Amino acid sequence: MQADGKVVDGSLLGDANGVEPAPGRVKDSGKWQKPRFSRKALMKCCLVKWIIASTQPQDKDDSSDSDLELSTVRHQPEGLDQLQAQTKFTRKELQSLYRGFKNECPSGLVDEETFKTIYSQFFPQGDATTYAHFLFNAFDIDRNGSIRFEDFVIGLSVLLRGSVTEKLNWAFNLYDINKDGYITKEEMLAIMKSIYDMMGRYTYPCVRDDAPSEHVDKFFQKMDKNRDGVVTIEEFIETCQKDENIMNSMQLFENVI
């Protein structure tokens, strides 16, 4: 099943690059390799497609765009040079992202309802409400109910072009729903279930109702090294980096971001 042209893997154990391995094909190496993101891959990201869609191809750069300044925007973002230093996007990519962002969000801020709208459009076969809620909270660094362009683009940079460790830190933040520095089995199950709900019942291969719980039981047992009922950031990163299946599963963000 595809979500807006993207293969949706019901098992959440697809190839690290978001591509299902051909039947019978064996990986050349047992080591997980960091996926490489081209511009084409970047445009598969729901959040990027959402804001780029509102950008007119014939638009030309002007001084206000180049400096990421717009007098009618209530929240003025940081300078382009500073954002370029903080992210792995090029200057032109940042200009395009901002142009689309300001068109979609004239106030300069994104709220949770906008996230829910975006993901319901890209994943119409399922219920994206809960996943959009969790994802929004992960982007909402200040916990004030809105996301600035700076936080938005810095988060995207980590998810799409960050190092393995950066991505895993971001993933931990997503799973740590109450932001207490630990992941419980209940939190992990809530996130996993929200992803399955968003993908819908018509994914391929077919998803069983107990699949999220099975995944969480298996992952949590491996991650909770000292059996204290919670997973720390150190346990999370160490386990993910050592276990290829879990690492591949962590790449689900590249299918559903």
Side-chain angles (χ1 to χ4, degrees), residues 1-256:
M1 184 68 178
Q2 294 190 345
D4 198 65
K6 296 189 298 184
V7 175
V8 176
D9 171 28
S11 69
L12 297 187
L13 290 175
D15 181 65
N17 290 305
V19 179
E20 278 293 299
R25 181 170 71 87
V26 179
K27 293 187 178 181
D28 296 332
S29 168
K31 279 190 169 183
W32 180 86
Q33 295 184 348
K34 175 183 173 184
R36 298 178 178 86
F37 283 92
S38 62
R39 286 178 180 271
K40 183 177 179 182
L42 178 65
M43 283 305 299
K44 290 182 180 181
C45 169
C46 297
L47 295 175
V48 172
K49 290 173 75 172
W50 162 65
I51 51 181
I52 294 300
S54 67
T55 304
Q56 298 299 321
Q58 66 270 25
D59 283 353
K60 293 184 179 180
D61 293 340
D62 56 40
S63 59
S64 61
D65 282 336
S66 298
D67 294 330
L68 287 183
E69 296 290 335
L70 190 66
S71 59
T72 58
V73 173
R74 186 174 75 239
H75 171 74
Q76 295 292 335
E78 296 167 0
L80 180 61
D81 290 337
Q82 185 174 349
L83 280 178
Q84 191 173 355
Q86 290 178 299
T87 68
K88 296 182 181 179
F89 292 124
T90 66
R91 187 181 185 87
K92 285 190 175 182
E93 285 173 337
L94 285 169
Q95 288 172 342
S96 295
L97 289 170
Y98 182 63
R99 192 176 296 113
F101 188 92
K102 74 184 181 186
N103 286 342
E104 291 291 339
C105 307
S107 68
L109 301 168
V110 178
D111 60 19
E112 184 173 329
E113 288 305 312
T114 302
F115 260 52
K116 290 178 179 178
T117 300
I118 296 168
Y119 281 87
S120 64
Q121 291 173 350
F122 282 102
F123 294 90
Q125 76 277 12
D127 182 358
T129 304
T130 306
Y131 177 75
H133 167 73
F134 290 142
L135 189 65
F136 179 85
N137 285 343
F139 273 95
D140 184 14
I141 298 174
D142 299 329
R143 311 286 288 170
N144 61 4
S146 60
I147 301 171
R148 305 176 305 157
F149 177 73
E150 297 94 319
D151 296 333
F152 181 79
V153 78
I154 288 171
L156 278 183
S157 176
V158 170
L159 288 166
L160 297 173
R161 293 178 177 170
S163 66
V164 172
T165 302
E166 287 171 336
K167 288 181 181 181
L168 290 176
N169 271 288
W170 203 96
F172 183 90
N173 178 54
L174 174 67
Y175 279 101
D176 180 16
I177 296 174
N178 65 0
K179 311 305 177 193
D180 65 351
Y182 301 95
I183 299 175
T184 64
K185 184 181 286 189
E186 291 74 22
E187 286 177 320
M188 188 176 288
L189 180 59
I191 297 291
M192 196 70 78
K193 188 176 183 305
S194 73
I195 294 172
Y196 275 87
D197 288 344
M198 180 175 67
M199 288 179 170
R201 291 185 174 276
Y202 302 103
T203 54
Y204 179 83
C206 185
V207 176
R208 303 186 317 277
D209 288 339
D210 59 352
S213 181
E214 286 184 4
H215 273 101
V216 170
D217 286 342
K218 181 173 64 176
F219 292 169
F220 202 87
Q221 185 176 9
K222 289 183 178 181
M223 291 181 180
D224 186 12
K225 303 287 188 183
N226 60 0
R227 300 293 183 263
D228 62 352
V230 295
V231 173
T232 64
I233 181 66
E234 293 80 14
E235 289 175 324
F236 184 82
I237 292 178
E238 180 184 356
T239 306
C240 288
Q241 290 181 329
K242 289 183 178 179
D243 191 300
E244 183 186 5
N245 283 336
I246 294 180
M247 180 63 85
N248 287 348
S249 223
M250 288 300 105
Q251 297 307 308
L252 62 90
F253 299 116
E254 288 146 21
N255 282 333
V256 297

